[in-house]
Amino acid sequence: MPYQWLPPDLTDSDTRHLRLWPYRSLPRQGFVWFIGGTSALIALPLLTVLGSPVLWGLLPFLVLAVAGVWWALQRSYRDAEIVEDLTLTPALITLTRQGPRKTHAEWQANPHWVRVEMHKTGGPVPQYLTLHGGPRPVEIGAFLSEDERVSLSAELRAALAGHKG
């Protein structure tokens, strides 16, 4: 699961921390292998034209193809630099979102009034998960899969019920 309940602090056992992040299907090491393999497979047909002027006509296009794949994957990595941190204390619930390109957003509310709502339809994604009870509703885990949002919803409800009760 691309979210994790962190262990409680030794100094404050009433505080719960949840960290959410997007799933990465291609880790950095896989990126290196993918670019290397793509470059090797693209260069393989060039062996037949080695030493001829045709090589110099094809080479810029093949280099552009590899550079385009490199750029697209790097952009994907930058756009997925999202981390959401939920801190739940008896007096305050805080959701902090660190987004791509250093964007930052924070939401706070009294946990006694917060409720977890699952919108099966009507949201930007199916099984849209929001927290209500503060100055405005806030989405949580929009980058998770449908099943992950459903299980996160149940875990959040249980955590809030444990703090209220």
Side-chain angles (χ1 to χ4, degrees):
M1 290 280 195
Y3 67 87
Q4 174 184 17
W5 287 96
L6 301 175
D9 293 337
L10 296 176
T11 58
D12 188 8
S13 61
D14 289 339
T15 302
R16 306 246 353 237
H17 297 282
L18 173 68
R19 176 158 289 166
L20 301 100
W21 61 90
Y23 176 73
R24 301 294 324 167
S25 60
L26 182 65
R28 291 286 181 178
Q29 185 177 5
F31 169 78
V32 171
W33 282 101
F34 179 76
I35 291 295
T38 302
S39 299
L41 289 175
I42 284 180
L44 196 59
L46 291 179
L47 294 177
T48 60
V49 292
L50 202 60
S52 73
V54 175
L55 172 71
W56 299 108
L58 292 176
L59 197 59
F61 296 105
L62 299 178
V63 168
L64 275 174
V66 172
V69 170
W70 179 289
W71 177 84
L73 289 173
Q74 288 295 338
R75 174 70 190 257
S76 171
Y77 280 119
R78 280 192 311 273
D79 287 346
E81 291 174 347
I82 300 170
V83 176
E84 291 182 354
D85 285 311
L86 181 88
T87 305
L88 180 59
T89 66
L92 190 67
I93 183 171
T94 305
L95 180 64
T96 306
R97 179 184 168 103
Q98 297 290 334
R101 292 176 286 284
K102 308 296 182 204
T103 58
H104 178 83
E106 190 169 292
W107 176 85
Q108 294 181 338
N110 183 333
H112 181 73
W113 302 110
V114 172
R115 67 186 187 283
V116 178
E117 287 192 6
M118 177 70 69
H119 308 275
K120 294 189 186 303
T121 59
V125 293
Q127 305 294 346
Y128 188 59
L129 186 60
T130 58
L131 299 175
H132 291 263
R136 59 182 165 69
V138 66
E139 71 178 345
I140 183 169
F143 46 79
L144 299 174
S145 71
E146 290 181 44
D147 295 335
E148 291 164 345
R149 283 191 297 275
V150 169
S151 66
L152 177 61
S153 171
E155 291 180 29
L156 283 173
R157 286 188 176 103
L160 283 170
H163 265 67
K164 291 177 185 177

